[in-house]
Amino acid sequence: MGFMDILLIIVPSTLLWAAPLIFTALGGNFSERSGVVNIGLEGLMVIGAFTAIVFNLTFVDSLGKATPWLALVAALVVGGLFALIHAVASITFRADQTVSGVAINLLAIGLALFLVKFIYDKGQTDIIQVGFSKVDIPLLSDIPIIGEILFSNTYYTSFVAIIIAFIAWYVMFKTPFGLRLRSVGEHPMAADTMGINVTRMRYIGVVISGALAGVGGGVYAQSISSDFGHATISGQGFMALAALIFGKWHPLGAMGAALFFGFAQSLSIVGSSLPLLENIPNVYLLIAPYVLTILALTGFIGRADAPKALGTPYIKGKR
């Protein structure tokens, strides 16, 4: 197997596994840049995956090939609404944001599994018939070498995630909205003095995080698992949170870290077919993404400064 053959296996697989992490990490970025810790990304991905699969199974006969995309819209809406629970608890009632996020994780998986049992009378849903499938992107796949590596046998959702990352960067650093969002995460009192509604901006940040994490869960469920059960989302939300920190709370940094973790996850799936890894026991390949996540966060990111007001409830008039 030549180097080109290895790239043709690794690159599309990396993009596939990275896409859900990119969406979810970007969602976490909006929440944490506004000053609200969101440990609940895992639970929000769970709700997004559940919503997308149930929507897909319910409406596939009437919506046809558009079903997976419309299922992502449903996951976006439900994820945003579910994130409101975290927003109300942590912003309005000033609950501990870490505890609230953990509660979101527990509530999401419990509620989703209860509804699966209630709707389908079994522990997991049926397998969807129309999901995201591999495509050759028109025109781009015809580019010599690069087109074959990057744009052939790949998924549209991977490139949508990358485009959204650049849009998030532009919104956060090049628009008045982004400046306001970052200001309430750095110095909410100063922002309040300038007439910025701190509570509203933080609510918006948390809801956006839920919406994007819901999309991340929907992408994962419809392109990788093809159904929903108790183990559909198993650590991807925490990996996205790690990508956010690894990327130093920057949209493009989070995207890069998500691509790295996507690469690690892809190795656990396709590694046994690669010459250098074929003799490594499969269990080591399966744990590799999580080991690399720990190593990345503990040894290789250097100094990562979180937003200064991250995790601190804002009380008007109080320093």
PDB file of all heavy atoms in Angstrom, residues 77 82 104 128 182 267:
ATOM      1  N   VAL A  77     -32.945  22.966  16.420  1.00  0.00           N
ATOM      2  CA  VAL A  77     -33.992  23.621  17.211  1.00  0.00           C
ATOM      3  C   VAL A  77     -34.121  22.980  18.590  1.00  0.00           C
ATOM      4  O   VAL A  77     -34.136  23.672  19.618  1.00  0.00           O
ATOM      5  CB  VAL A  77     -35.344  23.560  16.465  1.00  0.00           C
ATOM      6  CG1 VAL A  77     -36.476  24.059  17.365  1.00  0.00           C
ATOM      7  CG2 VAL A  77     -35.282  24.376  15.182  1.00  0.00           C
ATOM      8  N   PHE A  82     -33.183  22.756  24.434  1.00  0.00           N
ATOM      9  CA  PHE A  82     -32.700  21.992  25.585  1.00  0.00           C
ATOM     10  C   PHE A  82     -31.626  22.772  26.337  1.00  0.00           C
ATOM     11  O   PHE A  82     -31.545  22.705  27.569  1.00  0.00           O
ATOM     12  CB  PHE A  82     -32.147  20.643  25.116  1.00  0.00           C
ATOM     13  CG  PHE A  82     -32.180  19.572  26.169  1.00  0.00           C
ATOM     14  CD1 PHE A  82     -33.353  18.903  26.468  1.00  0.00           C
ATOM     15  CD2 PHE A  82     -31.024  19.226  26.858  1.00  0.00           C
ATOM     16  CE1 PHE A  82     -33.383  17.913  27.446  1.00  0.00           C
ATOM     17  CE2 PHE A  82     -31.044  18.242  27.830  1.00  0.00           C
ATOM     18  CZ  PHE A  82     -32.230  17.583  28.129  1.00  0.00           C
ATOM     19  N   ILE A 104     -27.450  18.305  32.795  1.00  0.00           N
ATOM     20  CA  ILE A 104     -27.910  18.249  31.405  1.00  0.00           C
ATOM     21  C   ILE A 104     -27.495  16.931  30.763  1.00  0.00           C
ATOM     22  O   ILE A 104     -28.285  16.284  30.051  1.00  0.00           O
ATOM     23  CB  ILE A 104     -27.339  19.438  30.603  1.00  0.00           C
ATOM     24  CG1 ILE A 104     -27.992  20.745  31.046  1.00  0.00           C
ATOM     25  CG2 ILE A 104     -27.527  19.238  29.100  1.00  0.00           C
ATOM     26  CD1 ILE A 104     -29.462  20.853  30.711  1.00  0.00           C
ATOM     27  N   ILE A 128     -31.786   4.005  10.150  1.00  0.00           N
ATOM     28  CA  ILE A 128     -32.322   4.889   9.105  1.00  0.00           C
ATOM     29  C   ILE A 128     -31.922   4.366   7.724  1.00  0.00           C
ATOM     30  O   ILE A 128     -30.870   3.765   7.546  1.00  0.00           O
ATOM     31  CB  ILE A 128     -31.834   6.339   9.291  1.00  0.00           C
ATOM     32  CG1 ILE A 128     -30.306   6.422   9.244  1.00  0.00           C
ATOM     33  CG2 ILE A 128     -32.363   6.927  10.594  1.00  0.00           C
ATOM     34  CD1 ILE A 128     -29.761   7.833   9.263  1.00  0.00           C
ATOM     35  N   ARG A 182     -17.964  38.500  23.466  1.00  0.00           N
ATOM     36  CA  ARG A 182     -16.671  38.312  24.127  1.00  0.00           C
ATOM     37  C   ARG A 182     -16.526  39.244  25.328  1.00  0.00           C
ATOM     38  O   ARG A 182     -15.908  38.886  26.330  1.00  0.00           O
ATOM     39  CB  ARG A 182     -15.535  38.554  23.125  1.00  0.00           C
ATOM     40  CG  ARG A 182     -15.400  37.420  22.109  1.00  0.00           C
ATOM     41  CD  ARG A 182     -14.230  37.604  21.175  1.00  0.00           C
ATOM     42  NE  ARG A 182     -14.443  38.693  20.228  1.00  0.00           N
ATOM     43  CZ  ARG A 182     -13.667  39.756  20.121  1.00  0.00           C
ATOM     44  NH1 ARG A 182     -12.621  39.911  20.925  1.00  0.00           N
ATOM     45  NH2 ARG A 182     -13.929  40.683  19.217  1.00  0.00           N
ATOM     46  N   LEU A 267      -8.307   6.623  13.179  1.00  0.00           N
ATOM     47  CA  LEU A 267      -7.292   5.572  13.298  1.00  0.00           C
ATOM     48  C   LEU A 267      -7.831   4.354  14.049  1.00  0.00           C
ATOM     49  O   LEU A 267      -7.458   3.215  13.756  1.00  0.00           O
ATOM     50  CB  LEU A 267      -6.052   6.101  14.017  1.00  0.00           C
ATOM     51  CG  LEU A 267      -5.111   7.000  13.219  1.00  0.00           C
ATOM     52  CD1 LEU A 267      -3.896   7.368  14.064  1.00  0.00           C
ATOM     53  CD2 LEU A 267      -4.654   6.329  11.926  1.00  0.00           C
TER      54      LEU A 267
END
